[in-house]
PDB file of all heavy atoms in Angstrom:
ATOM      1  N   ILE A 256      11.342 -17.923  -0.290  1.00  0.00           N
ATOM      2  CA  ILE A 256      10.987 -16.971  -1.349  1.00  0.00           C
ATOM      3  C   ILE A 256      10.526 -17.733  -2.600  1.00  0.00           C
ATOM      4  O   ILE A 256      11.136 -18.699  -3.015  1.00  0.00           O
ATOM      5  CB  ILE A 256      12.267 -16.168  -1.740  1.00  0.00           C
ATOM      6  CG1 ILE A 256      12.826 -15.412  -0.530  1.00  0.00           C
ATOM      7  CG2 ILE A 256      11.960 -15.203  -2.825  1.00  0.00           C
ATOM      8  CD1 ILE A 256      12.065 -14.215  -0.027  1.00  0.00           C
ATOM      9  N   THR A 338     -32.873  18.601  -7.339  1.00  0.00           N
ATOM     10  CA  THR A 338     -32.673  19.888  -6.665  1.00  0.00           C
ATOM     11  C   THR A 338     -32.209  20.934  -7.639  1.00  0.00           C
ATOM     12  O   THR A 338     -32.393  22.122  -7.390  1.00  0.00           O
ATOM     13  CB  THR A 338     -31.672  19.769  -5.512  1.00  0.00           C
ATOM     14  OG1 THR A 338     -30.476  19.185  -6.034  1.00  0.00           O
ATOM     15  CG2 THR A 338     -32.226  18.927  -4.447  1.00  0.00           C
ATOM     16  N   SER A 344     -33.675  30.614  -6.628  1.00  0.00           N
ATOM     17  CA  SER A 344     -33.452  31.615  -5.589  1.00  0.00           C
ATOM     18  C   SER A 344     -31.979  31.507  -5.096  1.00  0.00           C
ATOM     19  O   SER A 344     -31.398  32.488  -4.725  1.00  0.00           O
ATOM     20  CB  SER A 344     -34.363  31.415  -4.463  1.00  0.00           C
ATOM     21  OG  SER A 344     -34.393  30.043  -4.102  1.00  0.00           O
ATOM     22  N   ALA A 346     -29.554  30.725  -6.910  1.00  0.00           N
ATOM     23  CA  ALA A 346     -28.768  31.336  -7.968  1.00  0.00           C
ATOM     24  C   ALA A 346     -28.657  32.850  -7.758  1.00  0.00           C
ATOM     25  O   ALA A 346     -27.651  33.449  -7.993  1.00  0.00           O
ATOM     26  CB  ALA A 346     -29.422  31.014  -9.302  1.00  0.00           C
ATOM     27  N   THR A 348     -28.442  34.502  -5.029  1.00  0.00           N
ATOM     28  CA  THR A 348     -27.440  34.875  -4.023  1.00  0.00           C
ATOM     29  C   THR A 348     -26.060  34.606  -4.622  1.00  0.00           C
ATOM     30  O   THR A 348     -25.035  35.204  -4.147  1.00  0.00           O
ATOM     31  CB  THR A 348     -27.572  34.105  -2.734  1.00  0.00           C
ATOM     32  OG1 THR A 348     -27.457  32.712  -3.078  1.00  0.00           O
ATOM     33  CG2 THR A 348     -28.868  34.386  -2.150  1.00  0.00           C
ATOM     34  N   HIS A 464      13.670 -11.729   2.388  1.00  0.00           N
ATOM     35  CA  HIS A 464      13.164 -11.579   3.690  1.00  0.00           C
ATOM     36  C   HIS A 464      13.723 -10.293   4.357  1.00  0.00           C
ATOM     37  O   HIS A 464      14.675  -9.667   3.806  1.00  0.00           O
ATOM     38  CB  HIS A 464      13.590 -12.772   4.606  1.00  0.00           C
ATOM     39  CG  HIS A 464      13.030 -14.034   4.146  1.00  0.00           C
ATOM     40  ND1 HIS A 464      11.696 -14.314   4.104  1.00  0.00           N
ATOM     41  CD2 HIS A 464      13.617 -15.140   3.599  1.00  0.00           C
ATOM     42  CE1 HIS A 464      11.514 -15.504   3.609  1.00  0.00           C
ATOM     43  NE2 HIS A 464      12.660 -16.116   3.294  1.00  0.00           N
ATOM     44  N   ALA A 468      14.237  -7.195  13.145  1.00  0.00           N
ATOM     45  CA  ALA A 468      13.607  -5.983  13.685  1.00  0.00           C
ATOM     46  C   ALA A 468      12.390  -5.593  12.878  1.00  0.00           C
ATOM     47  O   ALA A 468      11.441  -4.892  13.438  1.00  0.00           O
ATOM     48  CB  ALA A 468      14.636  -4.879  13.743  1.00  0.00           C
ATOM     49  N   GLN A 470      10.327  -7.695  11.432  1.00  0.00           N
ATOM     50  CA  GLN A 470       9.293  -8.714  11.403  1.00  0.00           C
ATOM     51  C   GLN A 470       8.308  -8.431  12.523  1.00  0.00           C
ATOM     52  O   GLN A 470       8.335  -9.013  13.622  1.00  0.00           O
ATOM     53  CB  GLN A 470       9.909 -10.140  11.537  1.00  0.00           C
ATOM     54  CG  GLN A 470      10.740 -10.525  10.376  1.00  0.00           C
ATOM     55  CD  GLN A 470      11.639 -11.762  10.763  1.00  0.00           C
ATOM     56  OE1 GLN A 470      11.282 -12.467  11.748  1.00  0.00           O
ATOM     57  NE2 GLN A 470      12.660 -11.980  10.015  1.00  0.00           N
ATOM     58  N   ILE A 552       2.395   8.031  15.955  1.00  0.00           N
ATOM     59  CA  ILE A 552       1.902   7.255  17.073  1.00  0.00           C
ATOM     60  C   ILE A 552       2.256   5.737  16.920  1.00  0.00           C
ATOM     61  O   ILE A 552       2.925   5.162  17.806  1.00  0.00           O
ATOM     62  CB  ILE A 552       0.416   7.437  17.306  1.00  0.00           C
ATOM     63  CG1 ILE A 552       0.170   8.902  17.692  1.00  0.00           C
ATOM     64  CG2 ILE A 552      -0.156   6.489  18.316  1.00  0.00           C
ATOM     65  CD1 ILE A 552      -1.268   9.244  17.943  1.00  0.00           C
ATOM     66  N   TRP A 557       5.708   1.009  17.986  1.00  0.00           N
ATOM     67  CA  TRP A 557       6.583  -0.071  17.452  1.00  0.00           C
ATOM     68  C   TRP A 557       8.042   0.212  18.046  1.00  0.00           C
ATOM     69  O   TRP A 557       8.712  -0.794  18.385  1.00  0.00           O
ATOM     70  CB  TRP A 557       6.563  -0.026  15.990  1.00  0.00           C
ATOM     71  CG  TRP A 557       7.262  -1.195  15.352  1.00  0.00           C
ATOM     72  CD1 TRP A 557       7.785  -2.256  15.967  1.00  0.00           C
ATOM     73  CD2 TRP A 557       7.559  -1.362  13.902  1.00  0.00           C
ATOM     74  NE1 TRP A 557       8.338  -3.207  15.054  1.00  0.00           N
ATOM     75  CE2 TRP A 557       8.212  -2.582  13.853  1.00  0.00           C
ATOM     76  CE3 TRP A 557       7.387  -0.602  12.769  1.00  0.00           C
ATOM     77  CZ2 TRP A 557       8.715  -3.074  12.611  1.00  0.00           C
ATOM     78  CZ3 TRP A 557       7.816  -1.072  11.645  1.00  0.00           C
ATOM     79  CH2 TRP A 557       8.457  -2.307  11.521  1.00  0.00           C
ATOM     80  N   ARG A 559       8.835   1.324  20.782  1.00  0.00           N
ATOM     81  CA  ARG A 559       8.857   0.810  22.128  1.00  0.00           C
ATOM     82  C   ARG A 559       8.941  -0.712  22.158  1.00  0.00           C
ATOM     83  O   ARG A 559       9.613  -1.291  23.077  1.00  0.00           O
ATOM     84  CB  ARG A 559       7.602   1.331  22.862  1.00  0.00           C
ATOM     85  CG  ARG A 559       7.544   1.115  24.330  1.00  0.00           C
ATOM     86  CD  ARG A 559       6.428   0.200  24.676  1.00  0.00           C
ATOM     87  NE  ARG A 559       6.339  -0.106  26.117  1.00  0.00           N
ATOM     88  CZ  ARG A 559       6.047  -1.254  26.533  1.00  0.00           C
ATOM     89  NH1 ARG A 559       5.812  -2.278  25.685  1.00  0.00           N
ATOM     90  NH2 ARG A 559       5.930  -1.484  27.871  1.00  0.00           N
ATOM     91  N   GLY A 567      13.205   8.444  20.705  1.00  0.00           N
ATOM     92  CA  GLY A 567      14.610   8.560  21.103  1.00  0.00           C
ATOM     93  C   GLY A 567      15.374   9.568  20.262  1.00  0.00           C
ATOM     94  O   GLY A 567      16.605   9.553  20.322  1.00  0.00           O
ATOM     95  N   TRP A 568      14.741  10.358  19.497  1.00  0.00           N
ATOM     96  CA  TRP A 568      15.394  11.393  18.635  1.00  0.00           C
ATOM     97  C   TRP A 568      16.430  10.745  17.738  1.00  0.00           C
ATOM     98  O   TRP A 568      17.529  11.210  17.568  1.00  0.00           O
ATOM     99  CB  TRP A 568      16.013  12.484  19.503  1.00  0.00           C
ATOM    100  CG  TRP A 568      14.990  13.212  20.274  1.00  0.00           C
ATOM    101  CD1 TRP A 568      14.797  13.170  21.640  1.00  0.00           C
ATOM    102  CD2 TRP A 568      13.969  14.121  19.821  1.00  0.00           C
ATOM    103  NE1 TRP A 568      13.746  13.954  22.041  1.00  0.00           N
ATOM    104  CE2 TRP A 568      13.274  14.544  20.980  1.00  0.00           C
ATOM    105  CE3 TRP A 568      13.627  14.612  18.573  1.00  0.00           C
ATOM    106  CZ2 TRP A 568      12.136  15.450  20.812  1.00  0.00           C
ATOM    107  CZ3 TRP A 568      12.531  15.457  18.463  1.00  0.00           C
ATOM    108  CH2 TRP A 568      11.839  15.842  19.645  1.00  0.00           C
ATOM    109  N   ASP A 569      16.073   9.611  17.178  1.00  0.00           N
ATOM    110  CA  ASP A 569      16.808   9.069  16.101  1.00  0.00           C
ATOM    111  C   ASP A 569      16.582   9.989  14.811  1.00  0.00           C
ATOM    112  O   ASP A 569      15.569  10.652  14.787  1.00  0.00           O
ATOM    113  CB  ASP A 569      16.193   7.674  15.829  1.00  0.00           C
ATOM    114  CG  ASP A 569      16.601   7.028  14.550  1.00  0.00           C
ATOM    115  OD1 ASP A 569      17.745   6.516  14.493  1.00  0.00           O
ATOM    116  OD2 ASP A 569      15.789   7.075  13.563  1.00  0.00           O
ATOM    117  N   TRP A 574      13.033  13.974  11.949  1.00  0.00           N
ATOM    118  CA  TRP A 574      12.473  14.430  10.676  1.00  0.00           C
ATOM    119  C   TRP A 574      10.981  14.207  10.618  1.00  0.00           C
ATOM    120  O   TRP A 574      10.250  14.946  10.098  1.00  0.00           O
ATOM    121  CB  TRP A 574      13.217  13.978   9.442  1.00  0.00           C
ATOM    122  CG  TRP A 574      14.476  14.810   9.305  1.00  0.00           C
ATOM    123  CD1 TRP A 574      15.684  14.510   9.738  1.00  0.00           C
ATOM    124  CD2 TRP A 574      14.529  16.121   8.699  1.00  0.00           C
ATOM    125  NE1 TRP A 574      16.556  15.522   9.476  1.00  0.00           N
ATOM    126  CE2 TRP A 574      15.920  16.536   8.778  1.00  0.00           C
ATOM    127  CE3 TRP A 574      13.668  16.921   8.041  1.00  0.00           C
ATOM    128  CZ2 TRP A 574      16.303  17.730   8.315  1.00  0.00           C
ATOM    129  CZ3 TRP A 574      14.087  18.160   7.573  1.00  0.00           C
ATOM    130  CH2 TRP A 574      15.415  18.528   7.689  1.00  0.00           C
ATOM    131  N   ARG A 589      -3.728  28.455   7.949  1.00  0.00           N
ATOM    132  CA  ARG A 589      -5.052  28.635   7.288  1.00  0.00           C
ATOM    133  C   ARG A 589      -6.058  29.254   8.173  1.00  0.00           C
ATOM    134  O   ARG A 589      -7.100  29.784   7.653  1.00  0.00           O
ATOM    135  CB  ARG A 589      -5.563  27.237   6.857  1.00  0.00           C
ATOM    136  CG  ARG A 589      -4.703  26.581   5.816  1.00  0.00           C
ATOM    137  CD  ARG A 589      -5.210  26.942   4.439  1.00  0.00           C
ATOM    138  NE  ARG A 589      -6.668  26.595   4.321  1.00  0.00           N
ATOM    139  CZ  ARG A 589      -7.417  26.840   3.290  1.00  0.00           C
ATOM    140  NH1 ARG A 589      -6.935  27.488   2.332  1.00  0.00           N
ATOM    141  NH2 ARG A 589      -8.734  26.607   3.334  1.00  0.00           N
TER     142      ARG A 589
ATOM    143  N   SER B 101      19.619  16.260  14.000  1.00  0.00           N
ATOM    144  CA  SER B 101      19.859  15.178  13.037  1.00  0.00           C
ATOM    145  C   SER B 101      21.141  15.397  12.292  1.00  0.00           C
ATOM    146  O   SER B 101      21.648  14.527  11.563  1.00  0.00           O
ATOM    147  CB  SER B 101      18.691  15.114  11.962  1.00  0.00           C
ATOM    148  OG  SER B 101      18.661  16.225  11.205  1.00  0.00           O
ATOM    149  N   GLN B 108      21.550   9.905  22.079  1.00  0.00           N
ATOM    150  CA  GLN B 108      21.653   8.717  21.182  1.00  0.00           C
ATOM    151  C   GLN B 108      22.896   7.937  21.449  1.00  0.00           C
ATOM    152  O   GLN B 108      22.832   6.727  21.597  1.00  0.00           O
ATOM    153  CB  GLN B 108      21.653   9.272  19.730  1.00  0.00           C
ATOM    154  CG  GLN B 108      20.365   9.686  19.167  1.00  0.00           C
ATOM    155  CD  GLN B 108      19.639   8.456  18.668  1.00  0.00           C
ATOM    156  OE1 GLN B 108      20.171   7.466  18.293  1.00  0.00           O
ATOM    157  NE2 GLN B 108      18.265   8.511  18.711  1.00  0.00           N
ATOM    158  N   TYR B 184     -27.824  31.056   0.954  1.00  0.00           N
ATOM    159  CA  TYR B 184     -29.076  31.757   1.211  1.00  0.00           C
ATOM    160  C   TYR B 184     -30.108  31.279   0.194  1.00  0.00           C
ATOM    161  O   TYR B 184     -29.800  30.990  -0.984  1.00  0.00           O
ATOM    162  CB  TYR B 184     -28.924  33.276   1.160  1.00  0.00           C
ATOM    163  CG  TYR B 184     -30.224  34.014   1.018  1.00  0.00           C
ATOM    164  CD1 TYR B 184     -31.128  34.136   2.076  1.00  0.00           C
ATOM    165  CD2 TYR B 184     -30.568  34.481  -0.232  1.00  0.00           C
ATOM    166  CE1 TYR B 184     -32.340  34.749   1.884  1.00  0.00           C
ATOM    167  CE2 TYR B 184     -31.802  35.156  -0.394  1.00  0.00           C
ATOM    168  CZ  TYR B 184     -32.652  35.278   0.735  1.00  0.00           C
ATOM    169  OH  TYR B 184     -33.866  35.955   0.576  1.00  0.00           O
ATOM    170  N   GLN B 305      18.408 -19.963   1.631  1.00  0.00           N
ATOM    171  CA  GLN B 305      17.728 -20.390   0.476  1.00  0.00           C
ATOM    172  C   GLN B 305      18.698 -20.412  -0.762  1.00  0.00           C
ATOM    173  O   GLN B 305      19.398 -19.467  -0.989  1.00  0.00           O
ATOM    174  CB  GLN B 305      16.539 -19.540   0.205  1.00  0.00           C
ATOM    175  CG  GLN B 305      15.527 -20.235  -0.700  1.00  0.00           C
ATOM    176  CD  GLN B 305      14.319 -19.350  -0.874  1.00  0.00           C
ATOM    177  OE1 GLN B 305      14.012 -18.515  -0.043  1.00  0.00           O
ATOM    178  NE2 GLN B 305      13.567 -19.678  -1.945  1.00  0.00           N
ATOM    179  N   GLN B 318      21.603 -13.585   5.378  1.00  0.00           N
ATOM    180  CA  GLN B 318      21.088 -12.494   6.212  1.00  0.00           C
ATOM    181  C   GLN B 318      20.309 -13.053   7.386  1.00  0.00           C
ATOM    182  O   GLN B 318      19.703 -14.103   7.291  1.00  0.00           O
ATOM    183  CB  GLN B 318      20.229 -11.532   5.385  1.00  0.00           C
ATOM    184  CG  GLN B 318      18.891 -12.095   5.014  1.00  0.00           C
ATOM    185  CD  GLN B 318      17.894 -10.960   4.677  1.00  0.00           C
ATOM    186  OE1 GLN B 318      17.898  -9.904   5.205  1.00  0.00           O
ATOM    187  NE2 GLN B 318      16.992 -11.250   3.778  1.00  0.00           N
ATOM    188  N   LEU B 320      17.549 -14.009   9.965  1.00  0.00           N
ATOM    189  CA  LEU B 320      16.136 -14.076   9.889  1.00  0.00           C
ATOM    190  C   LEU B 320      15.521 -14.080  11.313  1.00  0.00           C
ATOM    191  O   LEU B 320      14.424 -13.537  11.546  1.00  0.00           O
ATOM    192  CB  LEU B 320      15.689 -15.314   9.161  1.00  0.00           C
ATOM    193  CG  LEU B 320      16.058 -15.403   7.664  1.00  0.00           C
ATOM    194  CD1 LEU B 320      15.454 -16.704   7.115  1.00  0.00           C
ATOM    195  CD2 LEU B 320      15.431 -14.216   6.959  1.00  0.00           C
ATOM    196  N   ASN B 344      11.648  -7.626  18.879  1.00  0.00           N
ATOM    197  CA  ASN B 344      10.252  -7.174  18.782  1.00  0.00           C
ATOM    198  C   ASN B 344       9.315  -7.863  19.753  1.00  0.00           C
ATOM    199  O   ASN B 344       8.155  -7.629  19.728  1.00  0.00           O
ATOM    200  CB  ASN B 344       9.700  -7.485  17.313  1.00  0.00           C
ATOM    201  CG  ASN B 344       9.830  -6.316  16.382  1.00  0.00           C
ATOM    202  OD1 ASN B 344       9.699  -5.142  16.835  1.00  0.00           O
ATOM    203  ND2 ASN B 344      10.236  -6.584  15.167  1.00  0.00           N
ATOM    204  N   GLN B 353      10.825  -3.524  31.054  1.00  0.00           N
ATOM    205  CA  GLN B 353      10.835  -4.320  29.837  1.00  0.00           C
ATOM    206  C   GLN B 353      12.280  -4.702  29.547  1.00  0.00           C
ATOM    207  O   GLN B 353      13.201  -3.879  29.659  1.00  0.00           O
ATOM    208  CB  GLN B 353      10.244  -3.553  28.669  1.00  0.00           C
ATOM    209  CG  GLN B 353       8.799  -3.689  28.509  1.00  0.00           C
ATOM    210  CD  GLN B 353       8.035  -2.750  29.489  1.00  0.00           C
ATOM    211  OE1 GLN B 353       8.485  -1.589  29.611  1.00  0.00           O
ATOM    212  NE2 GLN B 353       6.993  -3.186  30.096  1.00  0.00           N
ATOM    213  N   TYR B 355      14.731  -6.088  26.491  1.00  0.00           N
ATOM    214  CA  TYR B 355      14.817  -6.143  25.070  1.00  0.00           C
ATOM    215  C   TYR B 355      16.072  -6.872  24.567  1.00  0.00           C
ATOM    216  O   TYR B 355      17.136  -6.650  25.163  1.00  0.00           O
ATOM    217  CB  TYR B 355      14.848  -4.736  24.430  1.00  0.00           C
ATOM    218  CG  TYR B 355      13.542  -4.003  24.752  1.00  0.00           C
ATOM    219  CD1 TYR B 355      13.499  -3.244  25.898  1.00  0.00           C
ATOM    220  CD2 TYR B 355      12.426  -4.021  23.927  1.00  0.00           C
ATOM    221  CE1 TYR B 355      12.363  -2.536  26.239  1.00  0.00           C
ATOM    222  CE2 TYR B 355      11.317  -3.381  24.254  1.00  0.00           C
ATOM    223  CZ  TYR B 355      11.285  -2.621  25.378  1.00  0.00           C
ATOM    224  OH  TYR B 355      10.098  -1.923  25.697  1.00  0.00           O
ATOM    225  N   GLU B 511       4.815   5.895  30.132  1.00  0.00           N
ATOM    226  CA  GLU B 511       4.451   5.456  28.739  1.00  0.00           C
ATOM    227  C   GLU B 511       2.982   5.330  28.534  1.00  0.00           C
ATOM    228  O   GLU B 511       2.427   5.871  27.523  1.00  0.00           O
ATOM    229  CB  GLU B 511       5.048   4.040  28.490  1.00  0.00           C
ATOM    230  CG  GLU B 511       6.524   4.091  28.112  1.00  0.00           C
ATOM    231  CD  GLU B 511       7.025   2.728  27.940  1.00  0.00           C
ATOM    232  OE1 GLU B 511       6.397   1.731  28.455  1.00  0.00           O
ATOM    233  OE2 GLU B 511       8.205   2.570  27.410  1.00  0.00           O
ATOM    234  N   SER B 522      -5.346  12.245  18.822  1.00  0.00           N
ATOM    235  CA  SER B 522      -5.744  11.824  17.435  1.00  0.00           C
ATOM    236  C   SER B 522      -7.235  11.887  17.331  1.00  0.00           C
ATOM    237  O   SER B 522      -7.757  12.387  16.238  1.00  0.00           O
ATOM    238  CB  SER B 522      -5.287  10.429  17.163  1.00  0.00           C
ATOM    239  OG  SER B 522      -3.977  10.285  17.526  1.00  0.00           O
ATOM    240  N   GLU B 559     -13.380  25.791   8.413  1.00  0.00           N
ATOM    241  CA  GLU B 559     -13.318  25.238   7.096  1.00  0.00           C
ATOM    242  C   GLU B 559     -14.605  24.344   6.825  1.00  0.00           C
ATOM    243  O   GLU B 559     -14.896  23.410   7.641  1.00  0.00           O
ATOM    244  CB  GLU B 559     -12.039  24.381   6.822  1.00  0.00           C
ATOM    245  CG  GLU B 559     -10.806  25.034   7.301  1.00  0.00           C
ATOM    246  CD  GLU B 559     -10.200  25.949   6.175  1.00  0.00           C
ATOM    247  OE1 GLU B 559     -10.784  25.949   5.096  1.00  0.00           O
ATOM    248  OE2 GLU B 559      -9.215  26.569   6.463  1.00  0.00           O
ATOM    249  N   ARG B 571     -33.006  22.331   1.781  1.00  0.00           N
ATOM    250  CA  ARG B 571     -34.108  22.876   0.872  1.00  0.00           C
ATOM    251  C   ARG B 571     -34.964  21.695   0.402  1.00  0.00           C
ATOM    252  O   ARG B 571     -36.207  21.843   0.344  1.00  0.00           O
ATOM    253  CB  ARG B 571     -33.431  23.572  -0.310  1.00  0.00           C
ATOM    254  CG  ARG B 571     -34.456  24.294  -1.117  1.00  0.00           C
ATOM    255  CD  ARG B 571     -33.877  24.823  -2.404  1.00  0.00           C
ATOM    256  NE  ARG B 571     -34.938  25.367  -3.273  1.00  0.00           N
ATOM    257  CZ  ARG B 571     -35.269  26.631  -3.342  1.00  0.00           C
ATOM    258  NH1 ARG B 571     -34.601  27.542  -2.581  1.00  0.00           N
ATOM    259  NH2 ARG B 571     -36.265  27.027  -4.023  1.00  0.00           N
ATOM    260  N   THR B 572     -34.376  20.609   0.008  1.00  0.00           N
ATOM    261  CA  THR B 572     -35.117  19.477  -0.455  1.00  0.00           C
ATOM    262  C   THR B 572     -36.109  18.978   0.623  1.00  0.00           C
ATOM    263  O   THR B 572     -37.275  18.695   0.313  1.00  0.00           O
ATOM    264  CB  THR B 572     -34.176  18.333  -0.798  1.00  0.00           C
ATOM    265  OG1 THR B 572     -33.078  18.862  -1.550  1.00  0.00           O
ATOM    266  CG2 THR B 572     -34.859  17.228  -1.595  1.00  0.00           C
ATOM    267  N   PRO B 597     -28.686  28.977 -13.454  1.00  0.00           N
ATOM    268  CA  PRO B 597     -29.424  29.067 -12.253  1.00  0.00           C
ATOM    269  C   PRO B 597     -28.609  28.362 -11.086  1.00  0.00           C
ATOM    270  O   PRO B 597     -28.970  28.543  -9.990  1.00  0.00           O
ATOM    271  CB  PRO B 597     -30.668  28.279 -12.511  1.00  0.00           C
ATOM    272  CG  PRO B 597     -30.478  27.499 -13.771  1.00  0.00           C
ATOM    273  CD  PRO B 597     -29.275  28.102 -14.488  1.00  0.00           C
TER     274      PRO B 597
END
Side-chain angles (χ1 to χ4, degrees):
Chain A
I256 303 287
T338 53
S344 49
T348 59
H464 295 296
Q470 294 166 19
I552 294 180
W557 190 10
R559 190 242 179 219
W568 300 110
D569 167 78
W574 280 93
R589 292 268 307 172
Chain B
S101 68
Q108 282 279 331
Y184 160 77
Q305 200 175 338
Q318 73 160 326
L320 295 182
N344 270 323
Q353 274 81 41
Y355 299 87
E511 280 175 348
S522 312
E559 309 273 357
R571 188 189 172 95
T572 315

